[in-house]
């Protein structure tokens, strides 16, 4: 086992913190980006838990906002690491981690959300590459992304899960058209993405042809852990926003509201400890199904806490900060107005798998309850009603 | 803090399951002397948290929490919480060695003479004799030694079958953990130390570890209901394939998963030196544990009854025993609202205290 602390210390002493991007590239090359990744890919092959030591030693040095690079970090990276070729790992992981190249996720379509495997975007062989045509939707941060993880249909004659292939999409390629889609918060974090005859060379394919669903499952498992799965201190995050208000504004305090707030405090702390326990369970590899519990609980809590905050504020809870249409930079639950928080929290039970779908997953994959009778998984995709 | 189970804890779990799995109890069994003897003699778990020099195993409350989890899962009718956790912690804090030695070797069984729902004003003491009533005391019917907090501020040892002590069994909601009403009428006793710190420490440790029992109860309810949902057929398919059933069980699974993290945390938090049991973090962990794990167990037991349909409503099916255990533990050692209020105070969020001019 490498002495992570000594390496981090030595790195800090020997690396001038001048240019931020340069510092991050060096940090990656020193294996101190994500220590549980293999050597040469930003890691040291160490235990995941050792990362905390690195963060401690490098505190105050240039870093990336995890919210800005979250899709790359939480979804693209683990998928590339697990299913990518050596060349793909070498090409993509470093600029992904340093934030020089941002990523987005081209999964959902107008006709395929919860039922992702039913998607219709087509990928057709063209010489040494593929032509992609279709429409994606709800694509967060597509307007900033250099690359996308893309799921497309390569064989419509097979049942839906079997005819999919996973690609890395070049967002600068001709035929990629990103259009903002305004949300109920007034701004546009997400987009519609139209793909028209987009050419992707075959070396942008991730995993084997027809194996797209297996690759996508790696992405989805990781997505659920990355939403709401990060380490926060006790009383931090949204519950901290609420208790700060409670402490500083006597007008919001009452005995009745106190018990409701404490219920949420308890729920937040229980969820936090559960996330902590899930992280302890993670060996360097794949997150287990417990990630679904973390995401499900986070969504419910975020909605309840932000809802109570508006009620506590009473008349002030009737006023919003700004409805200007903007293209969202990052999701900031704590920085903006209480009404923004409350509205944005409504998305948490939809994005990354709806709460209903997560309950299905828990019931069927964790508890082993029988699946609903269904016919859509055995017939060719082409024959399904759409 | 490590929230996982250690290899030692897993092997202790295996031994407990091997012992408990073969047993069955009728709903009228309030105490199984046989299992209690085996827990003492064979596994030595009644003396688990008693120091080695007194004949115990010198383990921490974390390991005792694991015992609570398994006793909860099997609903074993033994006074483990009252004797091997709460009375033992109180005695450790007073510095007693005599009674602890006897608990460790199985020759004594002690209980704190306090109401299971929470502490009350103590029994009066005049010239070394105790007088007063304490109602709804858990694990005291089978105890031979009562530890009585008295009006002089002391904790007194009183022989349970001695003169001046009357024990009247209560018709208890939870028949697997029967309560008694105690009456002391000039009962002779021996002072063993100050009561306040000892009783408070016992309640903190008891609340923290009761969460593990509640986890065991909730897990039994979830596992049993999931098994039933896989095999019970209605409308030509297993009831567990209906989404309305699935989603309820998924929610129970989430709250049980959270209970495990919270119960492990609470057990870890109270596993330091006894002097720390009065600390903010320890009291906070105990209050958190009871705020979360009590209601979670009640919900799991309620879903267990509901999703079993008619059979779940019978005396014959064990679901009702778990329902009664879950509900009574959610009241014992303080209700969830009371613990939430305690949390608010510990976190300096209590409205009344914040508003007071300082
Ligand atoms: C803020 C935000 C950001 C997003 N970012 C991205 C992104 O970057 N990339 C991307 O690809 N996608 C993104 N999404 C899309 C998201 O993954 C989908 O919206 C989601 O999977 C639901 O799909 P849908 O919108 O088609 O709703 P539907 O699947 O049509 O669901 C509608 C309702 O039906 C329920 N439902 C559907 N099927 C079942 C079932 N079997 N059982 C019970 N209930 C069911 C759902 O739970 C939901 O309540 C984002 C969404 C949001 C809100």
């Amino acid at each position: 086992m490498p002495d992570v602390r000594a390496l981090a210390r030595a790195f800090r002493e020997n690396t001038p913190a001048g240019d931020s991007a340069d510092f991050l590239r060096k940090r990656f090359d020193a294996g101190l980006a994500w220590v549980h990744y293999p050597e040469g890919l930003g890691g040291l092959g160490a235990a995941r838990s050792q990362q905390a030591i690195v963060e401690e030693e490098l505190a105050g040095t240039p870093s990336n906002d995890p919210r800005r690079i979250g899709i790359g970090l939480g979804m693209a990276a683990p998928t590339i690491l697990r299913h990518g070729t050596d060349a793909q790992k070498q090409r993509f992981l470093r600029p992904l981690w340093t934030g020089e190249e941002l990523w987005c996720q081209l999964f959902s379509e107008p006709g395929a959300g919860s039922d992702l495997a039913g998607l219709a975007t087509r990928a057709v062989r063209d010489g040494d590459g593929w032509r992609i045509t279709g429409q994606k939707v709800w694509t967060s941060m597509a307007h900033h992304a250099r690359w996308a993880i893309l799921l497309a249909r390569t064989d419509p004659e097979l049942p839906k899960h079997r005819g999919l292939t996973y690609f890395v999409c070049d967002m600068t390629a001709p035929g990629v058209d990103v259009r903002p889609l305004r949300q109920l918060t007034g701004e546009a974090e997400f987009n519609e993405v139209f793909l028209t005859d987009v050419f992707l060379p075959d070396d942008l394919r991730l995993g084997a042809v027809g194996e797209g669903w297996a690759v996508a499952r790696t992405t989805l498992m990781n997505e659920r852990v990355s939403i709401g799965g990060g380490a926060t201190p006790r009383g931090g995050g949204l519950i901290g926003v609420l208790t700060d208000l409670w402490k500083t504004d006597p007008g919001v305090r009452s005995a009745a509201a106190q018990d409701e707030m404490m219920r949420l405090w308890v729920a937040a702390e229980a969820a936090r400890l559960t996330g902590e326990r899930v992280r302890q369970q993670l060996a360097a590899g794949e997150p287990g199904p417990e990630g679904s519990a973390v995401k499900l609980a986070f969504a419910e809590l975020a909605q309840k806490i932000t809802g109570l905050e508006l009620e506590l504020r009473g008349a002030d809870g009737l006023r919003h900060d700004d409805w200007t249409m903007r293209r969202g930079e990052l999701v900031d639950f704590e920085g903006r107005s209480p009404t923004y928080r409350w509205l944005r929290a409504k998305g948490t039970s939809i994005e990354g798998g709806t709460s209903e779908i997560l309950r299905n997953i828990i019931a069927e994959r964790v508890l082993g309850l029988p699946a609903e009778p269904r016919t859509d998984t055995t017939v060719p995709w082409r024959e399904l009603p759409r | 803090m490590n929230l996982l189970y250690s290899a030692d804890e897993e092997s202790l779990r295996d031994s407990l399951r091997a012992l408990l799995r073969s047993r069955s109890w009728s709903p009228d069994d309030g105490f199984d002397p046989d299992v209690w003897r085996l827990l003492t003699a064979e596994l030595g778990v009644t003396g688990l948290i008693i120091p080695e020099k007194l004949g115990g195993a010198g383990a921490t409350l974390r390991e005792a929490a694991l015992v609570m989890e398994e006793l909860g899962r099997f609903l074993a009718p033994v006074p483990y919480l009252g004797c091997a956790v709460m009375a033992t912690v109180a005695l450790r804090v007073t510095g007693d060695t005599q009674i602890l030695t006897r608990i460790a070797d199985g020759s004594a069984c002690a209980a704190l003479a306090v109401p299971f729902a929470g502490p009350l004003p103590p029994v009066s003491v005049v010239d070394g004799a105790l007088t007063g009533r304490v109602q709804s005391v858990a694990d005291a019917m089978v105890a031979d030694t009562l530890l009585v907090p008295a009006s002089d501020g002391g904790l007194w040892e009183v022989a349970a079958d001695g003169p001046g002590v009357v024990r009247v069994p209560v018709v208890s909601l939870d028949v697997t953990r029967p309560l008694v009403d105690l009456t002391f009428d000039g009962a002779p006793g021996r002072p063993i130390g100050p009561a306040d710190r000892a009783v408070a420490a016992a309640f903190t440790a008891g609340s923290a570890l009761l969460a593990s029992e509640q986890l065991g109860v909730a897990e039994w309810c979830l596992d049993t209901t999931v098994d039933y949902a896989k095999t019970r057929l209605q409308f030509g398919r297993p009831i567990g394939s209906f989404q309305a059933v699935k989603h309820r069980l998924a929610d129970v699974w989430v709250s049980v998963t959270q209970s495990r993290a919270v119960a492990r945390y609470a057990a870890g938090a109270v596993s330091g030196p006894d002097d720390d049991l009065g600390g903010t973090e320890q009291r906070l962990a105990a209050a958190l544990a009871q705020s979360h794990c009590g209601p979670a167990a009640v919900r799991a037991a309620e879903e267990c009854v509901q999703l079993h349909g008619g059979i779940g409503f019978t005396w014959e099916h064990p679901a009702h025993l778990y329902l009664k255990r879950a509900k009574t533990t959610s009241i014992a050692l303080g209700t969830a609202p009371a613990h939430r209020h305690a949390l608010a105070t510990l976190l300096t969020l209590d409205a009344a205290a914040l508003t007071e001019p300082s």
Side-chain angles (χ1 to χ4, degrees):
Chain A
M1 274 286 137
D3 184 346
V4 169
R5 189 177 298 280
L7 287 168
R9 262 190 204 160
F11 174 77
R12 181 168 194 157
E13 271 160 32
N14 301 326
T15 316
D19 175 52
S20 164
D22 188 50
F23 181 87
L24 290 171
R25 281 193 292 268
K26 289 195 172 110
R27 178 172 163 186
F28 186 94
D29 293 338
L32 297 169
W34 30 35
V35 292
H36 60 288
Y37 271 48
E39 278 182 60
L41 294 174
L44 298 165
R48 194 187 276 257
S49 56
Q50 303 275 81
Q51 187 66 31
I53 299 172
V54 177
E55 300 305 332
E56 193 183 306
E57 289 296 331
L58 298 185
T61 60
S63 65
N64 256 311
D65 187 333
R67 290 170 303 186
R68 202 173 137 262
I69 61 169
I71 295 173
L73 218 51
M75 293 170 231
T79 312
I80 293 168
L81 182 67
R82 170 96 191 262
H83 301 279
T85 60
D86 285 342
Q88 287 169 333
K89 293 176 199 172
Q90 291 295 343
R91 167 64 189 84
F92 293 121
L93 290 176
R94 188 165 99 154
L96 179 159
W97 187 83
T98 62
E100 289 163 283
E101 291 178 351
L102 298 183
W103 287 69
C104 68
Q105 180 191 23
L106 291 172
F107 277 24
S108 304
E109 299 181 4
S114 299
D115 183 15
L116 178 63
L119 59 83
T121 292
R122 287 278 282 131
V124 180
R125 273 265 183 211
D126 181 12
D128 59 352
W130 302 81
R131 289 280 168 189
I132 316 286
T133 300
Q135 185 195 343
K136 295 289 178 176
V137 73
W138 327 126
T139 319
S140 305
M141 300 296 157
H143 47 296
H144 290 306
R146 173 66 183 81
W147 301 103
I149 43 179
L150 165 72
L151 200 54
R153 184 160 307 280
T154 36
D155 191 345
E157 303 304 332
L158 289 174
K160 61 185 182 181
H161 293 92
R162 307 223 311 264
L164 299 171
T165 303
Y166 199 117
F167 297 92
V168 169
C169 180
D170 181 348
M171 293 298 285
T172 63
V176 177
D177 180 14
V178 177
R179 301 182 199 163
L181 201 52
R182 200 173 182 193
Q183 302 163 196
L184 48 50
T185 53
E187 60 178 22
E189 270 165 52
F190 57 34
N191 304 269
E192 296 177 287
V193 178
F194 294 86
L195 304 165
T196 314
D197 258 345
V198 177
F199 182 77
L200 299 179
D202 193 50
D203 59 14
L204 288 180
R205 174 169 49 79
L206 206 59
V209 175
E211 289 298 312
W213 188 248
V215 184
R217 286 204 28 191
T218 302
T219 311
L220 297 174
M221 290 277 242
N222 281 283
E223 176 171 23
R224 279 157 207 154
V225 181
S226 74
I227 298 179
T232 43
R234 174 190 287 163
L238 287 170
I239 194 69
V241 172
L242 189 67
T243 53
D244 282 349
L245 170 69
W246 182 265
K247 282 185 179 170
T248 52
D249 184 349
V252 306
R253 299 202 285 260
S254 70
Q258 178 167 319
D259 194 49
E260 211 166 322
M261 179 179 71
M262 292 314 298
R263 271 178 201 274
L264 295 177
W265 193 92
V266 167
E269 182 60 7
R272 191 186 72 84
L273 288 170
T274 306
E276 180 61 35
R277 191 164 192 274
V278 168
R279 274 190 297 280
Q280 291 183 7
Q281 281 174 315
L282 285 179
E286 207 89 334
E290 287 87 351
S292 302
V294 173
K295 200 261 178 186
L296 193 58
F298 170 76
E300 191 176 319
L301 259 171
Q303 295 175 359
K304 286 190 176 160
I305 292 172
T306 55
L308 179 61
E309 185 187 354
L310 285 198
E311 286 168 31
L312 292 185
R313 288 180 182 272
D316 280 351
L318 302 175
R319 302 159 83 105
H320 187 59
D321 59 346
D322 187 4
W323 291 121
T324 310
M325 160 64 186
R326 277 197 231 94
R327 306 199 87 178
E329 292 301 314
L330 32 89
V331 181
D332 183 3
F333 272 109
E334 289 157 52
R336 277 189 60 186
S337 72
T339 44
Y340 168 80
R341 277 196 269 292
W342 175 69
L343 288 167
R344 183 58 187 80
K346 295 290 174 255
T348 57
S349 55
I350 302 171
E351 58 196 320
T354 70
S355 292
E356 289 74 28
I357 295 300
L358 291 185
R359 288 189 178 94
N360 286 350
I361 290 175
I362 291 168
E364 289 174 19
R365 300 223 195 105
V366 183
L367 299 178
L369 291 169
E372 307 235 13
R374 54 195 280 198
T375 52
D376 64 321
T377 52
T378 45
V379 297
W381 174 81
R382 188 192 288 289
E383 290 169 21
L384 292 174
R386 257 186 311 282
Chain B
M1 184 190 297
N2 180 4
L3 302 175
L4 308 177
Y5 298 99
S6 68
D8 284 353
E9 286 169 330
E10 292 292 3
S11 85
L12 177 58
R13 190 200 296 285
D14 291 343
S15 315
L16 283 160
R17 287 192 180 176
L19 190 156
L20 296 168
R21 196 177 286 124
S22 55
R23 302 265 147 185
S24 65
W25 298 281
S26 94
D28 308 309
D29 289 331
F31 177 54
D32 183 337
D34 218 27
V35 167
W36 185 241
R37 194 180 45 73
L38 290 172
L39 288 175
T40 308
E42 235 173 65
L43 295 183
V45 294
T46 50
L48 202 56
I49 61 166
I50 294 173
E52 277 170 296
K53 62 179 192 295
L54 302 181
T60 70
L61 283 151
R62 256 185 83 109
E63 287 83 47
L66 188 107
V67 178
M68 293 281 290
E69 198 178 312
E70 294 309 312
L71 294 177
R73 187 187 316 278
F74 290 91
L75 228 52
V78 288
Y80 192 81
L81 173 64
C83 174
V85 177
M86 293 183 65
T88 297
V89 167
L91 289 165
R92 280 190 350 189
V93 170
T94 59
D96 163 272
T97 55
Q98 287 180 27
I99 309 172
L100 284 178
T101 309
R102 289 194 293 122
I103 293 176
D105 71 18
S107 61
C109 177
L112 275 182
V114 292
F116 198 31
L120 264 199
V123 168
S124 74
V125 54
V126 179
D127 294 337
L130 299 152
T131 301
R133 282 168 61 85
V134 190
Q135 289 194 309
S136 301
V137 180
D139 294 335
M141 198 61 216
V142 295
D144 46 49
T145 304
L146 299 174
L147 306 176
V148 189
S151 56
D152 65 344
L155 190 64
W156 290 66
E157 176 192 2
V158 175
D161 53 3
V165 180
V166 179
R167 285 184 287 181
V168 179
V170 170
V171 180
S172 310
L173 174 59
D174 176 6
V175 291
T176 67
R177 182 182 272 142
L179 308 175
V180 289
D181 289 343
L182 299 174
T183 306
F184 300 97
D185 186 8
R190 174 181 76 96
I192 48 181
D196 264 13
R197 268 188 56 233
V199 174
F203 267 75
T204 300
S207 299
L209 266 58
L210 186 58
S212 287
E213 180 181 304
Q214 288 158 334
L215 168 63
V217 165
E219 245 185 321
W220 183 91
C221 292
L222 175 62
D223 293 348
T224 304
T225 314
V226 166
D227 286 347
Y228 187 69
K230 286 178 187 170
T231 51
R232 169 71 179 169
L233 302 179
Q234 288 291 283
F235 302 95
R237 47 195 263 219
I239 56 166
S241 68
F242 295 111
Q243 204 173 57
V245 172
K246 270 187 188 157
H247 283 194
R248 292 170 73 154
L249 288 170
D251 285 337
V252 172
W253 177 80
V254 171
S255 86
V256 169
T257 301
Q258 294 182 334
S259 286
R260 188 172 300 106
V262 170
R264 286 275 88 190
Y265 181 77
V270 297
S271 283
D274 285 345
D275 280 349
D276 291 350
L277 281 172
T280 304
E281 185 55 34
Q282 286 68 20
R283 286 185 291 148
L284 195 146
L288 170 73
Q290 283 312 302
S291 300
H292 179 81
C293 299
V298 172
R299 175 169 183 198
E302 286 173 348
E303 292 291 19
C304 180
V305 169
Q306 173 66 20
L307 294 176
H308 275 80
I311 189 77
F313 194 69
T314 61
W315 187 258
E316 183 193 344
H317 193 281
H320 70 107
L321 299 174
Y322 286 84
L323 178 71
K324 292 161 184 172
R325 172 63 69 88
K327 191 67 184 176
T328 52
T329 61
S330 79
I331 296 167
L333 310 183
T335 61
H339 282 289
R340 288 196 292 269
H341 189 259
L343 275 177
T345 306
L346 288 165
L347 293 163
T348 60
L349 291 171
D350 184 47
L354 281 170
T355 310
E356 253 168 36
S358 49

